[in-house]
Amino acid sequence: MILVRSGELNALSPLFEKYHLRLYNFFLRLTKNQSISEDLVQSVFRRILTYRKTYNEQHKFRSWMYQIARNVHANYYRNNKLLISDFSEPEKIEYETDSAIEEMEKESRKRILYEAMDGLQTDQKEIIELSRFQGLKYREIAEITGLSETAVKVKAHRAINKLRELYFKLA
Amino acid sequence: MNCKYIEDLLIEYLDNNLNQEQANEVESHLTSCENCRNEYEHAKQFLHMINDIEDEQPSANLSMKFNQLLEEEKENQRQESNQFTDQKQNNYKFGEFLKYAAAILIIFGVGFLLGKNLPSTNDQSMVIASLQSDLNNMKQNLTMATLKQPTSSQRLKAVNILEKQDVADDKVLSVLVQTLQSDANVNVRMAAANALTKFAQHPLVRNAYLEALKNQKEPSIQITLINILIDIQENRAKILLEEIMKEDKSLPVVKEMAKEGIKVFV
Ligand SMILES: [Zn+2]
């Protein structure tokens, strides 16, 4: 990213390759909408380019990127309170093999989980997303959100317990 | 043993985040408490399930659009660098500002100035010199007024204009010093710090740097100030740098710089 900041824009490509899938899924779980999630990923990289000169190498690129992603999502959320899911219907899978059944079950667990996530507040969703799906340490989440590490931990525990409760109600 | 306490540790236990002592506590409790054992199995199952969730693939559009974005930005970059060269050659911004100042001078001042001066003297150059000095004053006053503006980008611009002045009277210096000490925006303060380097021999300015380093805790300005103080060989900074070294909240980078600085001042 230091290269990008100094004007070597091509250096952003490897970063896009590394992170776009994670970002896409980050937004997908928060918005439930594939095309919006693609747009939001695009917005993140547009902002990275626009604000490249403000990048400060004291912070990890990843933390900075998630900070931007949170802002992009918050912006989007403010402007679009009505979230419309465009999740495609599950593909019809033949019931013949064990692995197909396993696939189906996996798919249905995922749907229930996502449905359960809808029952969380936005900040809880976000903390689940960062701590679980994106696999970040509490320390890094603290840096991204500006909360203390302890506060992040407490929030993460509450969110995960709430999510579990919601999940087993639906399952 | 307190089940609530153990429950609070379960997630961290499952994530392998506990120290040995806490992990032992959890384990020994689990062997003896069936409730917590159930809770543990439940949580474990759930976390596994979450970890198993597979990422979805975005459409090919995403990469395509990114490449488009990158190309556009590269194009912008090329144009900007061209523009920048043009600007340098024409001194574009500065000229624009002078025009603005001149316009105001014309509206409020020149008629009056010429009307008053012309009858008493025919010396054209006197008039021009006086006009020039009025223009300079006007420029300074305008700029200093701009420093009271609400947006940081306007204030930043004002600092940059003051920086371009070769001679600074005490009024300009004190405005810049005040900006360095108390502007709400850290970027404006940094710009003021840099603008003042030209007048770094002035005791007022040197004291202002020390004062700022003592009070301001943003890493970016700390780094700027440390660099400046080393550059201008301000030995009184040493004691402040030592404090930064001792301060737990200082970022490692800042501490590192402070350490280097202390060596310089030995
Ligand atoms: Zn127990």
Side-chain angles (χ1 to χ4, degrees), chain B residues 127-193:
Chain B
V127 178
I128 292 172
S130 139
L131 186 68
Q132 189 65 46
S133 116
D134 263 40
L135 200 64
N136 278 339
N137 280 338
M138 181 69 81
K139 196 173 76 186
Q140 260 183 26
N141 287 339
L142 267 179
T143 311
M144 289 193 278
T146 317
L147 278 171
K148 300 195 178 96
Q149 291 294 313
T151 76
S152 56
S153 66
Q154 279 172 317
R155 299 198 305 273
L156 204 55
K157 230 186 255 169
V159 169
N160 288 334
I161 289 167
L162 288 180
E163 189 180 7
K164 291 209 184 85
Q165 302 209 307
D166 292 325
V167 281
D169 57 24
D170 284 350
K171 211 157 93 193
V172 173
L173 277 188
S174 74
V175 168
L176 282 174
V177 163
Q178 205 190 331
T179 305
L180 167 64
Q181 304 293 19
S182 58
D183 195 280
N185 181 291
V186 67
N187 291 324
V188 179
R189 276 180 270 136
M190 278 202 296

Side-chain angles (χ1 to χ4, degrees), chain A residues 79-97:
Chain A
N79 299 328
N80 304 271
K81 291 271 160 149
L82 275 175
L83 301 180
I84 304 148
S85 164
D86 71 346
F87 262 15
S88 47
E89 281 303 304
E91 287 166 40
K92 299 262 180 284
I93 298 168
E94 302 295 328
Y95 281 85
E96 284 160 20
T97 64

Side-chain angles (χ1 to χ4, degrees), chain B residues 3 29 33 35-36:
Chain B
C3 290
H29 181 83
C33 173
N35 264 345
C36 287

Side-chain angles (χ1 to χ4, degrees), chain A residues 10 25 38 132 138 157, chain B residues 12 15 39 56 59 74 77:
Chain A
N10 283 326
N25 281 275
E38 288 184 4
R132 292 289 146 190
Y138 296 136
H157 286 182
Chain B
E12 298 313 310
D15 284 345
E39 175 67 19
E56 314 238 343
S59 75
K74 279 196 259 179
Q77 196 183 27

Side-chain angles (χ1 to χ4, degrees), chain A residues 7-10 12-13 16 20-22 24-25 28-29 34 38-39 41-42 45-46 49 52 58 87 106 109-110 113-114 132-133 138 153 157 160-161 163-164 167-168, chain B residues 8 11-12 15 17 39 42-43 45-47 49-59 61-63 65-67 69-71 73-74 77 80 219-220 223 251 253-254:
Chain A
E8 189 48 65
L9 300 188
N10 283 326
L12 191 60
S13 284
F16 175 83
H20 77 277
L21 189 64
R22 295 171 68 171
Y24 172 72
N25 281 275
L28 191 59
R29 279 182 288 260
Q34 294 163 341
E38 288 184 4
D39 288 348
V41 173
Q42 180 82 348
F45 282 96
R46 179 171 294 124
L49 280 173
R52 62 179 180 266
Q58 288 158 22
F87 262 15
K106 229 179 189 175
R109 278 199 297 270
K110 192 198 253 178
L113 182 70
Y114 286 5
R132 292 289 146 190
F133 296 118
Y138 296 136
K153 203 185 209 172
H157 286 182
I160 197 97
N161 286 332
L163 181 64
R164 204 176 86 190
Y167 178 85
F168 284 109
Chain B
D8 283 343
I11 291 173
E12 298 313 310
D15 284 345
N17 282 341
E39 175 67 19
H42 223 56
Q45 208 190 340
F46 184 66
L47 290 186
M49 197 269 298
I50 288 186
N51 290 341
D52 259 7
I53 295 287
E54 277 165 18
D55 278 345
E56 314 238 343
Q57 291 294 329
S59 75
N61 270 340
L62 185 57
S63 291
K65 280 194 194 152
F66 169 75
N67 286 326
L69 171 72
L70 198 57
E71 287 311 314
E73 191 62 30
K74 279 196 259 179
Q77 196 183 27
E80 258 170 39
S220 50
I223 289 173
L251 281 185
V253 191
V254 178

Side-chain angles (χ1 to χ4, degrees), chain A residues 60-77:
Chain A
K60 272 192 191 163
F61 170 74
R62 193 168 71 174
S63 310
W64 187 58
M65 180 190 77
Y66 280 118
Q67 271 172 359
I68 293 175
R70 286 183 78 222
N71 288 336
V72 164
H73 177 248
N75 248 339
Y76 165 77
Y77 186 74

